[in-house]
């Protein structure tokens, strides 16, 4: 049973995206422009992401904490580059009750300043280092054109902030974080990414280096999935964060910061979903298995068997029983729109035949199996296979879109085709700005390749190779 | 080794409270008045509380979601009583970047309005009911006198909002929530509470009934630990939340809401802690067992044994090894100030003797045991016993402070003694207001007792009995 409310990708990819979001019950809009209500289904995807990352954070010695939402505007003016980067995007509290306040409160666009304040008060000597913290929170940025999960005035993220006693440790940890993001996004979200440094122009305001993981969506637009910044002493100098080093001298700390956000949910949708609805990677799916019972109201055997199967599989997976009196077609299509990896249909006939019909979301295939074969072990293997197949399909999309170009004409053509263009680059920040304005393409990350070539834009020799694409 | 920085309770209870908070590394102040940084230790207490309540919420069919922080001020004006209750306490965003906005955004003091908005869009028929949601979030209220965990401009809580198809279901669920809070606070936080209805004067703005759980702190002041509100159709009528009932007529939904907040951490501190530092209930302690290794640097046996013991106990408990080169006295006192339920000292001599020294925080007792006896089973029993003993001690404080009075003189005397006064009451809201202004005591909850008596304030006959106390 096809869901007519879902727009076809080929007709209008943007409309398809928003139709998936509403049909799969992910989002309801808030009352203020650019704000969203996370319905239980999307919030549960986000909390699954949190749980997985938290387990890695624990292994890495990252401790969770919580910073205040309000930051005095005056504090923002301390880090020039930082404020430059954020000024136009700030929400400001200027009234308390009916009273106006002198120094407005900025609603955090990020908590760099608060972490710096914290570090300055909690670090005395090298014994206190490294101090590696993280916060899961809502952050706020004014957005002209908002889009669920991708651009919202309020969104959720994790921001990890670490302070170290030397450059190497800080830089190593910066890389450790971007590698964790790559692993997480590829293994758990089944989305292949390109990993690399940002160009100076695309770098985070206040960072010496920004590392990024970039994915390509089904429409050929890139999506930045996570970033890790090496801040060196830029913030510690501005916020006077000193520690006494082993030779008893006061030294400014070396910092990093890194984060991923609810944008990841947008990446999941645009990487895997199809014209029939959402497709969720098994490892973060709120419901991994939906048991559609048929005539459960009439057949006590069916009702009991569903309960039994659910109890058994629930030991390891998120299982949901649908024993409403809706038609089987309706039940299947609900499960399909919601992107549930595996649906199992169970009716009186199936029990007679001792067989079950399994329906797989990722390739819409169907399989009839003996009841006894459908156990935890089978489901586990199947879900792993589904993850691999989702990744493989997304990887094919990425690979076929990576195109090397050497002329501006080729560049323009491939960008408009929705490709991930790799090219030698020796342009200035000005050039990059101009290129973005004229072609809509931005540099996503620097390639590891080191051989020399000629910049397609300036014609100069260079050994810098950069990936460009239109991006969300 | 005594921590001199901790003020004695007998000297100044308020200063004792704040000294515990700083010495136990719970809080760092934010940059805006009334905001706090939750250090990893206190944040981990809060996340433990979240995990436990979430498991109960799941059983009760409560789904987590997330509402936007911003609410248009105009929406607030819809529910007169509601705005009346909050107006002076609101933070308002009036500037975006440098631009002023027409309809300011209120920073949520609660999300009633957003949940109502959500319900109005997601409820069509009785089939959609009950719909029971919850959100874990930060909320904001302007506070003149702020105090960590107890009164903060920004604090964290859970707010559960349910909508039902009839009065009975809604009221039953309202009671179910307050009973859950009682169970949780008594069993997990080891704090005994009085449970009952609020008087009309103390009721939540917009509710028909407010149920509360009230605890008494060591200084005799009451602390409201959680509330559950029966909202009837008050909000559904204001926000036009209708559903089609079984007889196909449109009917306004029946709502409840309930919540507990980071105040609970304040309650934990003031219920159990002593002049030596924090005392944490085992079930929510971030570190349940601290292993203090002695000369681990010199003795590889000690190092290995600590590792082994920790690995073993970590299967079931939160264990931390302290193998720094600090002195044993220093290690013990750090563990004591942090309120870690059990500390285990391990040095070369202990291994020779095959014995271990265990130190218990709640009663500061010490016990020497054979190594082989210190296993998961022993620790489990011990932690349960500690929980029971903490509860018992707090219960004794509660019981001895509950005093029945029949005259205003007795009332005044017992209130100033820091007692939980029980008295017959027939006063008006005005009387209650006056009583609060003159004695500093507020009505905490209504007693279940139904026998008749004479109101100590009005002299009138009544069968309403109320608990009064000074409260945080």
């Amino acid at each position: 049973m096809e869901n007519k409310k879902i727009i076809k990708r080929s007709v209008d990819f943007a409309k398809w995206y928003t139709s998936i979001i509403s049909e799969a019950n992910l989002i309801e809009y808030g009352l203020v422009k650019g704000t969203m209500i996370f319905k239980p289904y999307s919030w549960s995807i986000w909390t699954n992401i949190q749980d997985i990352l938290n387990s890695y954070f624990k292994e890495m010695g990252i401790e969770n904490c919580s910073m205040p939402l309000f930051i005095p505007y005056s504090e923002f003016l301390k880090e020039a580059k930082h404020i430059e980067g954020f000024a136009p995007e700030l929400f400001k509290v200027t009234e308390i009750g009916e009273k106006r306040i002198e120094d407005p409160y900025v609603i955090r666009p990020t908590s760099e300043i608060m972490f710096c304040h914290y570090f300055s008060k909690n670090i005395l000597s090298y014994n206190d280092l490294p101090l590696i913290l993280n916060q899961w929170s809502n952050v706020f940025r004014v957005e002209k054109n908002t889009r669920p999960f991708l651009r919202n005035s309020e969104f959720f993220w994790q921001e990890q902030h670490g302070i170290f006693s030397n450059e190497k440790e800080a830089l190593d940890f910066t890389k450790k974080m971007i590698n964790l993001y790559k692993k997480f996004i590829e293994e758990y979200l089944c989305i292949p990414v390109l990993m690399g440094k940002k160009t100076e122009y695309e770098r985070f305001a206040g960072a010496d280096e920004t590392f990024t993981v970039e994915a390509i969506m089904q429409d050929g637009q890139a999506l930045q999935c996570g970033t890790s910044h090496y801040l060196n002493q830029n913030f510690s100098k501005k916020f006077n964060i000193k520690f006494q080093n082993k030779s008893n001298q006061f030294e400014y700390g070396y910092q990093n910061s890194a984060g991923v956000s609810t944008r990841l949910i947008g990446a999941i949708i645009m990487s895997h979903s199809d014209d029939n609805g959402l497709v969720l990677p098994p490892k973060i799916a709120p419901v991994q298995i939906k048991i559609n019972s048929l005539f459960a109201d009439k057949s006590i055997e069916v009702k009991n068997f569903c309960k039994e199967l659910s109890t058994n599989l629930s030991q390891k997976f998120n299982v949901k029983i649908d024993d409403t009196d809706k038609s089987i077609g309706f039940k299947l299509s609900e499960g399909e729109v919601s992107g549930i990896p595996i649906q199992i249909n169970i009716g009186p006939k199936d029990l007679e035949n001792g067989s079950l019909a399994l329906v797989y979301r990722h390739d819409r295939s169907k399989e009839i199996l003996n009841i006894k074969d459908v156990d935890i072990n089978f489901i586990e293997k199947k879900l792993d296979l589904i993850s691999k197949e989702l990744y493989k399909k997304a990887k094919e999309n990425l690979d076929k879109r990576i195109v090397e170009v050497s002329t501006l004409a080729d560049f323009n053509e491939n960008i408009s085709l929705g490709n991930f263009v790799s090219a030698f680059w020796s342009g200035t920040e000005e050039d990059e700005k101009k290129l973005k304005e004229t072609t809509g393409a931005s540099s996503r990350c620097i390639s590891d390749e080191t051989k020399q070539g000629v910049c397609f834009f300036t014609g100069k020799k260079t050994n810098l190779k950069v990936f460009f694409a239109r991006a969300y």
Side-chain angles (χ1 to χ4, degrees), chain A:
Chain A
M1 211 155 66
E2 182 185 7
N3 182 321
K4 294 268 186 304
K5 289 188 186 145
I6 295 173
I7 315 296
K8 300 242 172 307
R9 284 164 294 179
S10 55
V11 173
D12 187 329
F13 194 83
K15 286 209 175 88
W16 165 78
Y17 178 73
T18 45
S19 67
I20 295 281
I21 283 168
S22 77
E23 289 312 294
N25 279 306
L26 297 175
I27 288 301
E28 188 79 56
Y29 292 100
L31 290 163
V32 165
K33 179 177 170 301
T35 64
M36 319 186 290
I37 297 169
F38 281 74
K39 290 185 169 191
Y41 200 56
S42 61
W43 192 247
S44 158
I45 292 172
W46 181 238
T47 49
N48 289 342
I49 288 173
Q50 289 182 301
D51 292 343
I52 297 161
L53 283 175
N54 272 332
S55 67
Y56 283 103
F57 289 169
K58 200 171 177 189
E59 284 173 19
M60 293 163 76
I62 302 172
E63 295 187 293
N64 286 327
C65 64
S66 175
M67 295 291 165
L69 180 90
F70 295 147
I71 303 167
Y73 187 57
S74 52
E75 286 293 315
F76 255 84
L77 304 171
K78 283 188 182 173
E79 221 294 329
K81 270 212 187 118
H82 196 56
I83 185 68
E84 208 178 276
F86 284 116
E89 301 184 354
L90 299 177
F91 291 95
K92 288 197 228 121
V93 174
T94 58
E95 276 181 28
I96 294 179
E98 302 306 320
K99 263 196 0 284
R100 246 186 112 67
I101 47 174
E102 276 320 307
D103 184 8
Y105 308 156
V106 167
I107 313 237
R108 62 172 167 231
T110 164
S111 294
E112 237 84 26
I113 290 172
M114 291 312 305
F115 279 95
C116 286
H117 165 72
Y118 184 87
F119 290 152
S120 69
K121 288 196 168 298
N122 289 271
I123 283 159
L124 300 169
S125 92
Y126 66 91
N127 285 318
D128 305 321
L129 301 176
L131 178 55
I132 311 174
L133 301 176
N134 178 68
Q135 133 170 298
W136 292 94
S137 77
N138 48 353
V139 280
F140 297 78
R141 310 203 179 157
V142 179
E143 296 283 359
K144 276 189 197 59
N145 309 312
T146 62
R147 201 172 221 176
F149 301 119
L150 304 177
R151 296 206 169 280
N152 297 93
S153 305
E154 175 180 22
F155 61 95
F156 292 82
W157 77 351
Q158 102 353 261
E159 55 181 308
Q160 173 274 321
H161 294 265
I163 183 155
F164 306 81
S165 56
N166 62 67
E167 220 173 306
K168 185 181 179 310
E169 268 185 58
L171 191 53
D172 287 350
F173 198 84
T174 309
K175 291 172 185 164
K176 207 168 166 187
M177 285 305 292
I178 202 66
N179 281 305
L180 167 66
Y181 293 154
K182 183 181 199 296
K183 175 191 169 67
F184 170 73
I185 293 164
E186 294 191 329
E187 285 180 22
Y188 291 82
L189 308 186
C190 311
I191 303 172
V193 292
L194 291 179
M195 181 170 78
K197 289 181 183 176
K198 285 285 190 188
T199 59
E200 206 174 334
Y201 181 62
E202 294 287 338
R203 200 178 285 158
F204 170 68
D208 274 16
E209 286 294 357
T210 290
F211 296 84
T212 182
V213 278
E214 303 275 332
I216 195 104
M217 304 294 101
Q218 292 181 60
D219 66 341
Q221 284 206 64
L223 191 140
Q224 179 179 301
C225 292
T227 50
S228 182
H229 313 292
Y230 173 55
L231 306 175
N232 200 343
Q233 297 177 308
N234 302 340
F235 282 84
S236 60
K237 282 177 178 167
K238 294 289 191 318
F239 292 90
N240 195 36
I241 311 169
K242 285 182 186 157
F243 69 99
Q244 204 159 14
N245 61 26
K246 286 183 174 163
S247 41
N248 292 318
Q249 281 154 333
F250 284 100
E251 190 176 347
Y252 291 110
Y254 302 81
Q255 295 175 257
N256 95 297
S257 73
V260 297
S261 77
T262 35
R263 284 199 117 199
L264 287 177
I265 299 176
I268 291 167
I269 297 168
M270 292 192 288
S271 296
H272 304 307
S273 302
D274 59 26
D275 292 346
N276 304 293
L278 187 64
V279 174
L280 287 177
K283 290 196 173 87
I284 52 93
V287 179
Q288 295 169 300
I289 302 146
K290 180 162 166 258
I291 297 173
N292 299 316
S293 77
L294 309 175
F295 313 110
D297 45 340
K298 299 178 188 59
S299 156
I300 183 70
E301 291 75 16
V302 168
K303 200 181 183 59
N304 293 341
F305 179 81
C306 291
K307 190 104 203 56
E308 200 180 297
L309 182 64
S310 159
T311 314
N312 176 23
L313 297 180
S314 296
Q315 295 170 65
K316 196 134 190 187
F317 312 105
N318 308 324
V319 185
K320 185 181 163 190
I321 297 181
D322 182 349
D323 54 9
T324 59
D325 51 12
K326 298 167 182 166
S327 76
I328 176 63
F330 196 88
K331 288 180 180 183
L332 280 168
S333 118
E334 270 193 335
E336 177 165 59
V337 170
S338 319
I340 295 167
I342 299 177
Q343 293 194 77
I344 305 177
N345 300 333
I346 300 170
K349 278 211 175 40
D350 303 289
L351 294 189
E352 279 164 39
N353 310 338
S355 66
L356 298 176
L358 282 76
V359 183
Y360 306 121
R361 178 64 185 92
H362 70 300
D363 60 5
R364 310 189 74 204
S365 65
K366 195 170 167 178
E367 183 172 33
I368 309 289
L369 291 167
N370 288 330
I371 287 179
K372 62 168 174 35
D373 296 336
V374 182
D375 56 9
I376 287 182
N377 180 25
F378 168 81
I379 296 287
E380 187 156 36
K381 286 209 179 68
K382 191 69 199 182
L383 290 177
D384 283 346
L385 182 67
I386 291 172
S387 293
K388 289 192 180 63
E389 289 180 359
L390 283 175
Y391 179 85
K392 187 165 162 290
K393 199 165 159 217
K395 185 75 165 61
E396 282 161 9
N397 179 49
L398 172 63
D399 293 343
K400 80 162 195 277
R401 289 181 184 275
I402 294 179
V403 180
E404 198 147 338
V405 308
S406 51
T407 70
L408 186 55
D410 276 3
F411 182 91
N412 289 324
E413 189 193 350
N414 282 284
I415 287 299
S416 53
L417 287 170
N419 285 330
F420 220 129
V421 173
S422 147
F424 285 102
W425 177 255
S426 76
T428 61
E429 289 199 37
E430 256 319 300
D431 294 333
E432 206 173 319
K433 189 155 175 276
K434 200 190 302 161
L435 189 69
K436 195 172 187 175
E437 286 161 1
T438 53
T439 67
S442 55
S443 80
R444 306 315 307 161
C445 64
I446 297 170
S447 152
D448 317 335
E449 281 185 50
T450 52
K451 63 176 153 70
Q452 219 192 35
V454 176
C455 172
F456 73 96
F457 196 75
T458 63
K460 292 198 202 102
K461 272 216 170 72
T462 176
N463 42 29
L464 184 76
K465 202 163 192 182
V466 175
F467 288 102
F468 294 87
R470 289 197 181 132
Y472 280 103

